[in-house]
Amino acid sequence: MEKKNSNNEFQIRTDLAMEARELYQEEKKQEIQGVSVEQEELKDVTITRVEVLNEEAAKVMGKPKGSYITLECMGLRRADADLKDEVSQVMAKELRAITGNRKNIKALVVGLGNWNVTPDALGPKVVSKVFVTRHLFQFYNKDKDDDLAQISAISPGVMGTTGVETSEIIKGIVEKINPDVVVAVDALASRKMERVNATIQISNTGISPGSGLGNKRKALNQENLGVPVIAIGVPTVVDAATLTSDTIAMVIDAFTRQADKGSDFYNMLKELQEEEKYALIREILEPYNANVMVTPKDIDETITNLSQIIANGINIALHPGIDLKDVNRYIN
């Protein structure tokens, strides 16, 4: 999230691995050593797979070593039923691959966030739509099923309302039910307005609850929980400095097209590094306490749609007998 570099300049707020890579490339004009990138273009979705291969690359990226899969779809903000189904299927395929295509998996789905703050309500909304089955396995005294996996789900709330660290709650549940994997869903933050509510990131490195709103808590990861943690997140907010920086960049582009190509003033502005612009804007906003988190005005409808897409993807990926023609039956 937000931190200072060695020169005490504010770094741009982002939770997306692909954006951390972009920032490095823009500054250094080269690829990060120890990072592999693969991109796949589908009909409506662009898939970017970033693999952080060693600890040195992880330090440069500011992200733990592991796999980060990003699905970009600009139509997500106004997705119709067909596009929702398409993105759910793509997500299910990627999620199934990152979990190792395991059969008879036991999974705990965790919806991180605050029900009462709409941009932070993605996790709880997803949990409300996940098809949970652990109680059925217990009732029928079964260990395996050809069509269903053992899925349990919890939305633990936030420490401000529970008084308990989220990681402590999840660790207690994990020790009790012993899942094979934890799937954690949370809101994230992006450095680009265009990616807000239009991007889904899947990673096998865990997550820090509240990171999207700048309130990092103890990480949910394999080191802390003792089981693999798959993180699914959508950037639902940008901070005001990022929003302003993007706006200024668009204004500069517009003025540059209209002004003489040799205009020293516009060329100087255009050559400013992203972090330089961000640091300047942040410095201006800080005395007025104006660097707030910003989200689109139609966030209520967007979160409802995104939660359905992600829940469908989870249901299809984890339950072997559930496919697209069945999945919407389980959505409230």
Side-chain angles (χ1 to χ4, degrees):
M1 290 298 300
E2 182 181 295
K3 54 187 178 182
K4 291 184 179 181
N5 61 20
S6 58
N7 296 321
N8 291 323
E9 292 178 344
F10 285 96
Q11 292 183 340
I12 294 174
R13 181 190 294 271
T14 181
D15 290 313
L16 301 178
M18 64 181 296
E19 292 188 340
R21 169 180 169 261
E22 287 173 352
L23 286 168
Y24 182 89
Q25 286 182 311
E26 289 170 6
E27 181 182 356
K28 304 295 185 182
K29 309 301 181 184
Q30 64 182 27
E31 186 58 85
I32 302 172
Q33 296 296 317
V35 173
S36 68
V37 181
E38 173 188 328
Q39 195 168 78
E40 181 180 353
E41 296 281 350
L42 302 179
K43 179 184 177 183
D44 297 300
V45 183
T46 299
I47 306 174
T48 304
R49 302 180 183 92
V50 176
E51 189 83 24
V52 182
L53 302 171
N54 55 49
E55 294 300 333
E56 184 177 346
K59 185 176 180 180
V60 172
M61 289 270 290
K63 305 291 179 187
K65 186 172 68 173
S67 300
Y68 299 84
I69 301 162
T70 307
L71 313 180
E72 292 182 272
C73 177
M74 294 303 106
L76 270 183
R77 300 188 191 94
R78 295 287 187 273
D80 58 21
D82 290 338
L83 183 58
K84 289 179 188 177
D85 288 346
E86 179 186 350
V87 177
S88 293
Q89 286 180 300
V90 173
M91 180 192 148
K93 181 180 178 181
E94 297 298 327
L95 181 57
R96 196 179 296 119
I98 208 169
T99 56
N101 289 300
R102 297 177 61 176
K103 293 183 178 180
N104 298 305
I105 194 171
K106 293 192 294 182
L108 170 64
V109 180
V110 179
L112 301 170
N114 189 338
W115 272 107
N116 300 313
V117 180
T118 305
D120 197 33
L122 178 68
K125 286 265 192 179
V126 169
V127 161
S128 72
K129 297 173 172 65
V130 168
F131 183 43
V132 295
T133 56
R134 181 175 178 269
H135 58 301
L136 301 176
F137 279 80
Q138 290 184 316
F139 183 81
Y140 290 104
N141 196 26
K142 295 181 65 174
D143 292 324
K144 298 179 180 180
D145 188 274
D146 291 337
D147 296 321
L148 302 176
Q150 287 195 55
I151 308 300
S152 49
I154 182 71
S155 181
V158 293
M159 194 168 74
T161 58
T162 66
V164 183
E165 186 80 51
T166 301
S167 61
E168 295 175 357
I169 297 173
I170 303 307
K171 187 170 184 179
I173 296 173
V174 167
E175 290 174 350
K176 178 68 175 179
I177 70 175
N178 194 29
D180 298 317
V181 64
V182 170
V183 178
V185 183
D186 199 6
L188 306 178
S190 174
R191 65 170 286 225
K192 291 285 188 182
M193 292 185 295
E194 65 191 40
R195 291 193 175 118
V196 171
N197 298 329
T199 307
I200 300 172
Q201 177 175 270
I202 306 169
S203 74
N204 60 2
T205 60
I207 197 168
S208 295
S211 60
L213 296 178
N215 303 316
K216 279 193 173 181
R217 313 304 311 175
K218 190 174 181 181
L220 300 178
N221 54 27
Q222 186 163 4
E223 181 182 358
N224 290 332
L225 298 184
V227 296
V229 179
I230 307 299
I232 302 173
V234 175
T236 60
V237 294
V238 294
D239 64 4
T242 299
L243 182 69
T244 307
S245 179
D246 274 3
T247 304
I248 289 174
M250 288 187 285
V251 170
I252 291 171
D253 284 340
F255 283 170
T256 301
R257 288 193 296 270
Q258 296 176 23
D260 294 334
K261 291 184 178 179
S263 171
D264 293 335
F265 175 69
Y266 293 124
N267 288 336
M268 178 194 70
L269 290 176
K270 197 163 187 176
E271 288 172 5
L272 282 175
Q273 296 290 330
E274 287 292 334
E275 287 192 15
E276 292 173 333
K277 283 192 293 182
Y278 181 86
L280 176 62
I281 295 164
R282 177 64 190 265
E283 185 178 342
I284 293 170
L285 293 175
E286 197 69 29
Y288 305 99
N289 196 28
N291 195 27
V292 296
M293 303 305 296
V294 182
T295 194
K297 64 180 181 180
D298 57 350
I299 189 64
D300 297 82
E301 180 183 358
T302 301
I303 290 295
T304 297
N305 290 336
L306 286 169
S307 63
Q308 179 178 347
I309 290 166
I310 292 173
N312 282 353
I314 291 172
N315 288 333
I316 294 170
L318 299 183
H319 294 295
I322 292 179
D323 57 24
L324 193 58
K325 70 178 185 296
D326 303 316
V327 73
N328 286 317
R329 301 176 186 177
Y330 305 113
I331 299 300
N332 296 325

